[in-house]
Amino acid sequence: MYGCEAWTLTLKEENKLLVAERKIYRKILGPTKQVDGAWRFRRNVDVEDLVGEPNIIGESKSARLRWLGHVERMGEDRAAKRAYLGQPTGRRPIGRPRYRWLDEVRKDLCDMQVADWRLVVQDRNNWRSLVSEAKIQFGSLSRRSN
């Protein structure tokens, strides 16, 4: 999870992370024994119920929002703030534009239906509760299957 605040993941990459996480949990939890005595691997829903924690996507998106709040509140002279507010110059390469970090954050905030996030960021307690809500909202298997 080191540096996950800066990740911009496509759906394909998110799915790969989820598959890897569930594979690790299945290995840790082991198979389950059915009533007829046969062994079977646990299903995704079973793994989520046993673990009871948000998945890796929820953790990374909440970390990204936490970092956004930190950068928004920091002084204008800090390097991270300058990079966040900076506008690149020059020509863009041919082809599809790259995923930008701020676009991903705005999409996450739109999914959470947060309209005026720049004001919410200034109140640390409200922002902290929004970040923990994001962890739950984005880190649930049932939300992703819809």
Side-chain angles (χ1 to χ4, degrees), residues 38-84:
W39 291 90
R40 72 166 177 84
F41 288 105
R42 298 177 194 272
R43 293 186 175 93
N44 293 345
V45 176
D46 299 335
V47 169
E48 183 187 53
D49 289 341
L50 283 172
V51 172
E53 294 289 322
N55 60 32
I56 193 168
I57 302 303
E59 294 285 343
S60 67
K61 287 187 178 191
S62 71
R64 186 166 49 201
L65 289 176
R66 189 177 63 238
W67 177 249
L68 171 70
H70 181 67
V71 171
E72 274 290 319
R73 286 187 300 269
M74 70 174 50
E76 300 290 327
D77 59 328
R78 305 271 305 269
K81 180 80 172 211
R82 286 193 313 248
Y84 167 69

Side-chain angles (χ1 to χ4, degrees), residues 107-121:
K107 185 175 73 93
D108 293 343
L109 289 167
C110 184
D111 289 346
M112 293 183 64
Q113 299 173 347
V114 178
D116 203 8
W117 61 272
R118 290 191 190 266
L119 292 177
V120 178
V121 128

Side-chain angles (χ1 to χ4, degrees), residues 4 9 23 25 48 74 89 104 113 117 125 131 137:
C4 70
L9 300 173
K23 184 177 180 181
Y25 280 138
E48 183 187 53
M74 70 174 50
T89 58
E104 289 291 316
Q113 299 173 347
W117 61 272
N125 291 329
V131 166
Q137 183 175 346

Side-chain angles (χ1 to χ4, degrees), residues 87-100:
Q87 294 292 326
T89 58
R91 293 180 50 125
R92 295 185 67 158
I94 296 174
R96 179 186 55 81
R98 293 185 146 207
Y99 287 108
R100 294 185 304 180

